[in-house]
């Protein structure tokens, strides 16, 4: 077993750190205060060729695996960009995986290069206000009318919809009462036509510069050629993107936790009280050391899940477990970073309060910790399904 980075992976980490270097903590503090999508950061990664890290080479991507993509997202977050930086490009990394797997050659040639080049920005339209994670109950309808589908419905918590030019949309093409199993939902990748789609931003706790939105769709016309794969098979298609999504957000959480831990350790080494650095006190040392252990364990589980995925082995339990463990370790590291700073941890200029606000994201999304535990109880431990 080899737990070290390959020379290629080490080069990826160093290259991403160089791209992120101009976008320091003060940059992200300013974006957190002012809002507005970090277009310059997105453009820098696109110009350096990183937005297609897991996309096929024939369309301009790097053709690498989820292990390298996870390393990239971890590195972005760990530089201090946190979930703001990671979320700005997150959709590029995993979001169009169903298109890569199930799209036609013509669709991939049409859709992937503009996304990789940074000309297009995409959002992921699945979650609805009244269904949450019960995806098979989606209400958004896409009705076939000749060579188009006409879509009506609502979506919620749709990231980057304020700036997106494209949407990967899951909609019902067969009434639920006429469906069996997982059929009846279809997947589309199409233009986000704002004449028929209203996007309302949600004012939220953190990650101000990467928008989250309610989306209201009223008569969006989607050409048949923008449907991915077969009609009614969309749910099975998006399942192929769920494990990579969990792995990537887990890796981002580890990166965010490590950024917070680095700031806490740096402050503890410099801050003197009663004639000695506070980092000399075991009451400060032990919580930070515990966070290092927890983040290291989470990182190893992320690597295992990514390795399994890249080697085409089942990884559902590991991907979900990595997301669970990384999110909790990240949150504790960010919380301990604030405690280490004391009252200054509550001040925005020290950055750690921003990290704690962002640390809620991997705990809540894309799946709750409770449902992860239900999944593992059923699929790994063989206990009765609880939901």
């Amino acid at each position: 077993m080899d737990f070290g980075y390959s020379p290629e992976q080490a080069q990826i980490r160093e290259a991403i750190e160089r791209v992120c270097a101009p976008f320091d903590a003060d940059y992200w503090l300013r974006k957190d205060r002012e809002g507005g999508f970090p277009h310059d950061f997105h453009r820098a990664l696109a110009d350096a060729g990183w937005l297609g890290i897991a996309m096929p080479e024939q369309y301009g991507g790097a053709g690498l695996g989820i292990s390298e993509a996870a390393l990239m997202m971890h590195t972005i977050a760990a530089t201090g960009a946190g979930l703001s930086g990671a979320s700005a490009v997150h959709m590029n990394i995993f979001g169009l995986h169903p298109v890569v797997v199930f799209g036609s050659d013509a669709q991939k040639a049409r859709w992937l290069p503009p996304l990789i080049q940074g000309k297009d920005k995409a959002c992921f339209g699945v979650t609805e206000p009244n269904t949450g994670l019960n995806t098979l109950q989606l209400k958004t309808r896409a009705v076939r009318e000749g060579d188009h589908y006409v879509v009506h419905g609502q979506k919620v918590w749709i990231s980057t919809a304020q700036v997106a030019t494209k949407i990967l949309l899951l909609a019902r093409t067969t009434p639920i009462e006429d469906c069996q199993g997982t059929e009846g939902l279809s997947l589309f990748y199409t233009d986000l036509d704002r004449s028929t789609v209203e996007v309302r931003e949600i004012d939220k706790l953190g990650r101000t510069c990467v928008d989250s939105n309610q989306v209201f769709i009223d008569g969006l016309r989607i050409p048949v050629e923008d449907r991915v794969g077969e009609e009614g098979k969309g749910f099975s298609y998006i399942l192929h993107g769920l494990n990579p999504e969990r792995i990537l957000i887990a890796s981002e959480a580890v990166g965010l936790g490590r950024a917070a831990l680095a700031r806490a350790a740096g402050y503890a080494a410099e801050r003197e009280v009663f004639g000695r650095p506070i980092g000399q006190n075991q009451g400060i040392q032990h919580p930070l050391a515990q966070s290092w252990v927890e983040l290291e364990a989470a990182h190893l589980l992320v690597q295992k899940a990514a390795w399994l995925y890249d080697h085409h082995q089942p990884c559902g339990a590991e991907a979900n477990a990595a997301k669970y463990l990384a999110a909790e370790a990240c949150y504790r590291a960010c919380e301990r970073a604030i405690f280490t700073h004391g009252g200054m941890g509550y001040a925005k200029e020290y950055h750690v309060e921003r990290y704690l606000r962002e640390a809620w994201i991997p705990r809540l999304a894309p799946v709750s910790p409770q449902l992860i535990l239900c999944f593992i109880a059923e699929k790994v431990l063989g206990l009765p399904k609880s939901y």
Side-chain angles (χ1 to χ4, degrees):
M1 300 176 70
D2 187 356
F3 292 99
Y5 290 127
S6 68
E8 183 183 53
Q9 290 172 330
Q11 290 172 2
I12 290 171
R13 182 177 62 180
E14 293 166 3
I16 295 298
E17 287 175 344
R18 285 196 298 271
V19 174
C20 291
F23 305 95
D24 59 10
D26 289 334
Y27 169 88
W28 293 108
L29 174 60
R30 185 171 67 254
K31 296 302 293 184
D32 185 68
R33 285 173 170 162
E34 300 172 358
F37 188 82
H39 291 285
D40 47 354
F41 175 73
H42 182 275
R43 172 47 53 195
L45 284 167
D47 289 347
W50 291 112
L51 294 189
I53 188 169
M55 298 286 188
E57 291 181 86
Q58 60 264 45
Y59 303 110
L64 299 176
I66 201 70
S67 296
E68 288 76 22
L71 172 60
M72 170 182 167
M73 301 308 289
H74 169 275
T75 304
I76 290 171
T79 64
L83 269 294
S84 292
S87 297
V89 296
H90 185 94
M91 178 65 182
N92 280 79
I93 308 305
F94 85 93
L96 259 67
H97 188 69
V99 171
V100 172
V101 177
F102 299 105
S104 67
D105 291 341
Q107 288 175 329
K108 286 183 276 191
R110 181 158 56 99
W111 293 334
L112 297 185
L115 197 70
I116 293 167
Q117 296 161 12
K119 296 176 181 178
D120 279 342
K121 295 183 179 74
C123 60
F124 192 45
V126 175
T127 307
E128 294 186 2
N130 298 315
T131 58
L133 288 169
N134 193 3
T135 306
L136 292 175
Q137 297 296 314
L138 293 185
K139 302 293 192 296
T140 296
R141 286 295 314 275
V143 178
R144 178 82 177 258
E145 293 185 1
D147 59 357
H148 281 72
Y149 290 86
V150 180
V151 183
H152 295 83
Q154 297 181 33
K155 300 291 180 180
V156 72
W157 291 114
I158 310 305
S159 295
T160 70
Q162 292 288 335
V163 297
T165 54
K166 295 281 189 176
I167 184 169
L168 186 67
L169 179 69
L170 189 66
R172 178 163 298 286
T173 45
T174 303
I176 192 168
E177 58 271 16
D178 298 333
C179 295
Q180 293 184 348
T182 63
E183 297 192 351
L185 297 170
S186 298
L187 189 63
F188 305 90
Y189 184 68
T190 195
D191 292 335
L192 188 60
D193 178 5
R194 295 177 188 272
S195 69
T196 56
V197 179
E198 180 185 357
V199 179
R200 298 180 191 170
E201 188 166 359
I202 298 170
D203 192 16
K204 57 187 188 298
L205 179 68
R207 206 195 66 177
T208 308
C209 64
V210 179
D211 51 275
S212 300
N213 304 276
Q214 300 178 74
V215 174
F216 301 86
I217 305 170
D218 185 14
L220 174 66
R221 293 179 63 81
I222 301 178
V224 171
E225 56 265 29
D226 286 357
R227 188 189 70 220
V228 179
E230 297 180 47
E231 183 175 288
K233 304 291 187 182
F235 181 79
S236 65
Y237 297 159
I238 66 165
L239 290 180
H240 284 260
L242 296 187
N243 286 332
E245 180 185 28
R246 283 149 175 69
I247 293 168
L248 291 178
I249 199 165
S251 196
E252 294 162 19
V254 173
L256 174 59
R258 285 176 166 169
L261 184 59
R263 285 205 168 265
Y267 185 83
E270 296 174 358
R271 171 67 168 157
E272 291 191 3
V273 179
F274 302 119
R276 55 191 272 163
I278 63 172
Q280 191 173 342
N281 302 318
Q282 291 180 351
I284 297 292
Q285 290 181 350
H286 288 183
L288 299 184
Q290 186 176 2
S291 275
W292 182 90
V293 172
E294 292 168 352
L295 289 165
E296 189 73 8
H299 183 60
L300 289 172
L301 188 49
V302 171
Q303 288 181 303
K304 179 181 179 181
W307 185 91
L308 289 170
Y309 182 87
D310 286 339
H311 286 80
H312 309 290
Q313 297 186 31
C315 66
E318 290 80 5
N320 278 280
K323 187 270 184 190
Y324 176 91
L325 188 61
E328 298 304 312
C330 170
Y331 187 85
R332 283 191 291 269
C334 293
E335 182 181 52
R336 287 164 178 162
I338 289 183
F339 278 130
T340 301
H341 283 73
M344 291 303 181
Y346 206 62
K348 288 184 180 294
E349 66 179 289
Y350 285 84
H351 304 288
V352 289
E353 64 83 32
R354 170 166 54 89
Y355 293 160
L356 182 63
R357 287 186 283 115
E358 292 189 354
W360 276 103
I361 297 171
R363 294 185 87 194
L364 295 169
V367 58
S368 71
Q370 291 78 20
L371 271 182
I372 286 177
L373 296 176
C374 289
F375 175 85
I376 292 173
E378 177 194 352
K379 302 297 185 182
V380 178
L381 303 180
L383 297 176
K385 187 174 182 177
S386 62
Y387 59 95

